[in-house]
């Protein structure tokens, strides 16, 4: 089970003193926040991608590359990477590069983006959001797994004999999550590829996301990647804590009331009751999130939104101390209890490399069995190196069936 | 004997409300007509005044609080709808439109609807036909030919030369609604929220080698 934080990178005025940090300040703060996440024992830091104010994170690989150099163990991810308006070729190149520089500490979460004007600004049409996500990812998936790609699609210029460089580290593509708030098409896509599915789980009632996750789990099994309970699920979450729960409510209320997403809407009390946002003592956060597995099944990744709505850096760092020192260690124990051994952990580069070796061995065994059978049937000699599996190995292509 | 589901949306703000009074008259008349056709009817009344804060919160957050969600679910699986709004400044009230704005785009597709409105004078009666009717046409609802407008004076006026009394208009509209509801199977439909669009492929048309 992986724990971490994700940031949408908003530059928002602090409603308690009406000061707004500069972009530069927020950009340097985010590096501090990521370093802090590692220091307090979190596993993952994920950063959003936006192309309009008040967000600063237009270029996540630059930021993540810098953070990679400043950290040792932190797994770097995105929340989300715009699979619709980015060229999939550039995503393949950028994140393979980041994968090398970070020694494999990178994965991605694909999202469509819901800011209407971003599509035309990048030459696309929001009404084509799903077809763009489907086609662009199909290409990205191949670019990381095939040496030379011939490609023709609807949304970008064709490719003939294109080789994306650098090749993925150890011949293993970065793990991919697909994030969606309401589209079954994206859950279906994640299931088809055996990729992860991430449910935002912060703005709406969990019941909504439970349906979507359950659907993804069923389809994951349908496509033969394992049982439904072995599907790779990630959840968002949101918390604000103080030792004393009423202090947390008092401190967070002004930020809640003015927050870009839910400000001036429902009361803090209604919103915390209806959505996973938890404002209170660390124990309340533990209780709320330890119960998530009862609703979603055993899952692999839990990310919290901690820096937003104008919360000052000092407060965010204090929150991370509470999260890393008091909440996550207990959650790790809670989630480990009665977790079936067959449910996989959150994917890492090391686990993917190991799985690809196992798959390659399996393919080699199958290949030689098939060759032997063919040989027996036809009476032809089949020497080593002529089976399909050896052909695969020779081309350096890892099995897709990871 | 089939049980038909009738949802009544009343956007009146006053208590008591003449909009609700008109909605209730239409409901009673529809029940009578359905009974003649051999149908029982279950009625769910949605008073938008009670949901006003929830509707605004839904507009701001994108999700319906529990009480509003119950109302939205009732509408999606109804066989018939009676929609009555006061006419404010030439059209349906803002609260009525806000409610329509938070329902799913397909929530009232194929739904039989009677539209009704109330106002201070008869001069606003055409708002039903230039504002309410196109709104439901856009949503692919089936609006019955008779719309019922009740001005304040209608509550004390009998039939006269060239005009019918309010109860006659209510009865005619209710008869038209009951006939459509009698044939409706909306309430027994099972909707799959994860139905993929036909022809959808997780790799797209161009994904395969």
């Amino acid at each position: 089970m992986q724990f971490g934080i994700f940031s949408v990178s908003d530059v928002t005025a602090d409603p308690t003193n009406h000061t707004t940090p500069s972009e530069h300040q927020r950009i340097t703060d985010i590096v501090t926040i990521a370093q802090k996440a590692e220091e307090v024992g979190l596993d993952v830091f994920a950063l959003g991608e936006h192309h309009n104010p008040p967000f600063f994170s237009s270029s996540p690989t630059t930021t993540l590359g810098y953070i990679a150099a400043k950290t040792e163990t932190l797994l770097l991810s995105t929340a989300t990477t715009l699979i619709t308006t980015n060229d999939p070729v550039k995503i393949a190149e950028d994140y393979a590069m980041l994968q090398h520089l970070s020694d494999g500490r990178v994965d991605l979460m694909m999202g469509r983006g819901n800011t209407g004007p971003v599509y035309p600004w990048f030459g696309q049409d929001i009404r084509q959001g799903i077809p763009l996500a489907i086609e662009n990812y199909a290409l990205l998936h191949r670019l990381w797994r095939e040496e030379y790609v011939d490609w023709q699609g609807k949304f970008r210029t064709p490719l003939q004999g294109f080789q994306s460089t650098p090749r993925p580290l150890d011949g293993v593509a970065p793990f991919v999550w697909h994030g969606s708030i309401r589209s079954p098409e994206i859950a279906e896509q994640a299931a088809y590829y055996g990729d992860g599915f991430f449910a935002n789980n912060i703005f709406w009632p969990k019941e909504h996301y439970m349906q979507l996750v359950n659907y993804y789990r069923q389809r994951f099994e349908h496509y033969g990647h394992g049982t439904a309970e072995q599907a790779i699920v990630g959840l968002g979450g949101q918390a604000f804590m103080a030792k004393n729960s009423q202090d947390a409510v008092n401190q967070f209320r002004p930020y809640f009331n003015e927050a870009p997403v839910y400000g001036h809407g429902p009361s803090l009390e209604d919103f915390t009751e209806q959505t996973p946002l938890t404002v209170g003592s660390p124990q309340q956060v533990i209780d709320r999130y330890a119960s998530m597995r009862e609703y979603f099944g055993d899952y692999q990744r839990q990310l919290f939104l901690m820096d937003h709505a104008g919360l000052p850096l000092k407060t965010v760092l204090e929150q991370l101390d509470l999260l890393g020192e008091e909440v996550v260690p207990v959650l790790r124990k809670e989630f480990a209890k009665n977790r079936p051994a067959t449910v996989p952990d959150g994917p890492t580069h090391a686990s993917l490399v190991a799985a690809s070796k196992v798959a390659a061995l399996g393919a080699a065994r199958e290949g030689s069995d098939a060759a032997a059978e063919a040989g027996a049937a036809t009476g032809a000699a089949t020497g080593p190196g002529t089976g399909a599996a050896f052909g695969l190995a020779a081309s350096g292509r890892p099995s897709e069936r990871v | 004997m089939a049980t038909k589901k009738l949802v009544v949306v009343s956007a009146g703000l006053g208590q008591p409300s003449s909009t609700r009074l008109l909605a209730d008259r239409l409901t009673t008349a529809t029940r009578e007509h359905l009974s003649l056709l051999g149908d029982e009817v279950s009625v769910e009344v949605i008073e938008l005044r009670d949901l006003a804060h929830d509707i605004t919160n839904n507009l701001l957050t994108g999700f319906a609080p529990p009480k509003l969600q119950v109302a939205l679910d009732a509408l999606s699986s109804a066989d018939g709808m009676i929609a009555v709004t006061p006419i404010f400044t030439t059209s349906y009230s803002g609260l009525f439109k806000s409610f329509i704005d938070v329902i799913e785009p397909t929530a009232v597709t194929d739904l039989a609807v009677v539209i009704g409105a109330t106002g201070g004078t008869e001069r606003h009666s055409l708002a039903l036909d230039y504002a309410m009717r196109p709104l439901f046409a856009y949503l692919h609802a089936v609006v019955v030919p008779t719309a019922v407008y009740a001005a304040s004076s209608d509550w004390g006026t009998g039939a006269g030369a060239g005009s019918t009394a309010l109860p006659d208009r209510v009865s005619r509209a209710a008869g038209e609604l009951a006939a459509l509801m009698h044939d409706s199977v909306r309430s027994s439909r099972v909707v799959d929220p994860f139905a993929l669009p036909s022809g959808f492929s997780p790799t797209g048309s161009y994904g395969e080698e």
Side-chain angles (χ1 to χ4, degrees):
Chain A
M1 183 78 186
Q2 299 166 338
F3 291 90
I5 54 173
F6 60 151
S7 174
V8 288
S9 84
D10 59 317
V11 181
T12 303
D14 181 336
T16 62
N17 59 18
H18 307 288
T19 58
T20 308
S22 65
E23 283 182 323
H24 181 72
Q25 185 62 53
R26 271 290 276 152
I27 290 167
T28 50
D29 285 356
I30 207 74
V31 176
T32 308
I33 288 167
Q35 288 176 288
K36 181 76 173 179
E38 178 170 283
E39 181 196 315
V40 300
L42 299 179
D43 309 306
V44 183
F45 173 80
L47 181 61
E49 176 184 338
H50 297 272
H51 298 276
N52 55 318
F55 309 102
F56 68 77
S57 182
S58 56
S59 179
T61 50
T62 309
T63 320
L64 294 176
Y66 186 80
I67 293 171
K70 297 263 184 184
T71 52
E72 308 267 319
T73 57
L74 197 61
L75 208 165
L76 306 168
S77 187
T78 60
T80 61
T81 294
L82 302 179
I83 187 64
T84 47
T85 47
N86 282 308
D87 182 356
V89 170
K90 201 71 179 85
I91 296 177
E93 294 172 341
D94 284 349
Y95 284 89
M97 193 70 174
L98 181 60
Q99 190 194 26
H100 279 275
L101 289 172
S102 66
D103 282 320
R105 289 188 285 131
V106 62
D107 60 32
L108 297 82
M109 191 198 306
M110 300 298 166
R112 296 204 301 285
N114 60 2
T115 308
V118 170
Y119 287 78
W121 286 334
F122 286 80
Q124 301 295 354
D125 179 347
I126 194 168
R127 290 168 296 185
Q128 297 295 320
I130 295 267
L132 279 163
I134 296 297
E135 179 180 306
N136 284 349
Y137 184 65
L139 173 55
L140 174 61
H141 194 264
R142 284 183 57 192
L143 289 169
W144 276 336
R145 288 164 176 83
E146 299 171 29
E147 288 289 326
Y148 294 95
V149 171
D150 297 336
W151 164 268
Q152 187 159 358
K154 194 173 160 194
F155 296 112
R156 83 177 305 289
T157 194
L159 297 169
Q160 306 296 353
F162 178 78
Q163 189 179 28
S164 174
T165 59
R167 300 306 301 152
L169 180 64
D170 303 320
V172 173
F175 188 76
V176 169
W177 302 79
H178 299 265
S180 176
I181 291 182
R182 63 187 304 167
S183 303
E185 292 95 328
I186 299 303
E188 182 81 12
Q189 181 190 31
Y192 172 83
Y193 288 104
D195 292 342
F197 183 73
F198 190 91
N200 153 297
N201 200 37
I202 54 178
F203 297 135
W204 289 2
K206 67 177 181 313
E207 287 71 18
H208 169 83
Y209 303 106
M210 283 160 58
Q211 288 188 317
L212 213 48
V213 166
N214 196 30
Y215 175 79
Y216 156 72
R217 286 186 182 279
Q218 287 170 31
R219 300 303 289 170
F220 182 92
E221 180 165 318
H222 166 85
Y223 284 114
H225 299 293
T227 64
E229 69 171 12
Q230 291 170 328
I232 308 296
V233 172
L235 297 179
Q238 209 181 346
F240 190 91
M241 292 164 281
K243 295 276 173 208
N244 183 326
S245 104
Q246 193 55 44
D247 291 344
V249 171
N250 294 341
Q251 281 173 41
F252 191 60
R253 193 185 298 281
Y255 296 94
F256 177 88
N257 286 345
E258 301 285 327
V261 173
Y262 34 64
H264 306 281
S267 68
L268 176 61
E269 285 70 17
D270 280 351
F271 199 79
T272 48
E273 186 187 316
Q274 291 164 11
T275 77
L277 170 65
T278 307
V279 180
S281 66
Q283 188 57 47
Q284 282 173 293
V285 175
I286 290 167
D287 292 345
R288 192 83 178 275
Y289 283 88
S291 76
M292 287 294 167
R293 65 195 289 222
E294 293 164 27
Y295 302 108
F296 291 93
D298 285 296
Y299 58 108
Q300 281 70 28
R301 178 173 290 184
Q302 173 69 57
L303 300 183
F304 290 96
L305 175 64
M306 304 301 286
D307 73 312
H308 67 128
L311 289 165
L313 178 64
K314 180 168 172 286
T315 307
V316 174
L317 298 179
E318 288 164 4
Q319 290 296 310
L320 290 178
D321 275 330
L322 289 170
L323 186 68
E325 287 163 15
E326 301 200 20
V327 173
V328 165
V330 182
L331 283 179
R332 284 192 202 280
K333 281 186 200 139
E334 289 294 322
F335 281 110
K337 276 183 201 160
N338 306 319
R339 185 180 175 106
T342 48
V343 172
D345 286 331
T348 60
H349 183 68
S351 76
L352 296 175
V353 168
S356 104
K357 281 184 182 151
V358 169
L361 273 176
R365 207 168 295 132
E366 263 177 44
S368 56
D369 288 352
E373 275 172 35
T378 60
T382 48
T386 57
F390 293 94
L392 266 181
S395 75
R397 275 154 58 171
S399 167
E400 286 195 30
R401 288 179 297 160
V402 171
Chain B
M1 199 179 248
T3 299
K4 299 296 180 181
K5 283 175 67 177
L6 174 63
V7 168
V8 181
V9 173
S10 173
L13 296 180
Q15 280 182 331
S17 146
S18 60
T19 299
R20 175 63 189 269
L21 181 59
L22 177 58
D24 286 347
R25 299 319 301 151
L26 284 162
T27 305
T28 304
T30 303
R31 193 193 294 275
E32 285 165 8
H33 280 278
L34 278 170
S35 151
L36 292 175
L37 295 170
D39 292 328
E40 287 193 355
V41 60
S42 71
V43 177
E44 174 119 16
V45 179
I46 300 172
E47 274 279 9
L48 295 190
R49 187 184 203 284
D50 299 344
L51 296 173
H53 284 270
D54 280 358
I55 291 168
T56 303
N57 286 341
N58 190 346
L59 289 169
L60 295 178
T61 63
F63 73 89
K67 203 166 55 155
L68 175 58
Q69 190 60 51
V70 169
L72 297 177
D73 291 344
L75 197 56
S76 302
S77 63
D79 294 301
M81 176 189 192
I82 292 169
V84 190
T85 176
I87 301 300
F88 287 173
T89 326
T90 77
S91 185
Y92 34 71
S93 72
L95 178 58
F96 182 80
K97 180 57 162 52
S98 291
F99 176 69
I100 295 296
D101 287 346
V102 300
I103 67 176
E104 288 288 322
T106 57
V108 297
T109 300
D110 303 330
L111 178 63
V113 180
V114 165
I115 53 175
T118 56
T121 80
E122 301 88 331
R123 290 190 190 91
H124 300 293
S125 61
L126 273 177
L128 278 170
D129 286 308
Y130 67 68
M132 280 284 263
R133 197 176 288 278
L135 177 68
F136 282 98
Y138 174 79
L139 294 168
H140 304 293
V142 183
V143 185
V144 303
T146 302
V148 182
Y149 183 87
S152 300
S153 59
D154 279 310
W155 300 105
T157 306
S163 72
T164 52
L166 182 59
D168 301 325
R169 303 204 295 278
V170 165
S171 177
R172 191 165 70 235
E176 292 164 0
L177 178 64
L180 291 175
M181 285 179 68
H182 180 67
D183 294 329
S184 164
V185 293
R186 284 183 105 255
S187 58
S188 53
R189 274 187 325 191
V190 179
V191 179
D192 175 5
F194 300 109
L196 297 169
S198 66
F200 174 80
S201 153
T203 57
S205 333
Y206 305 93
E208 291 296 307
E209 237 177 306

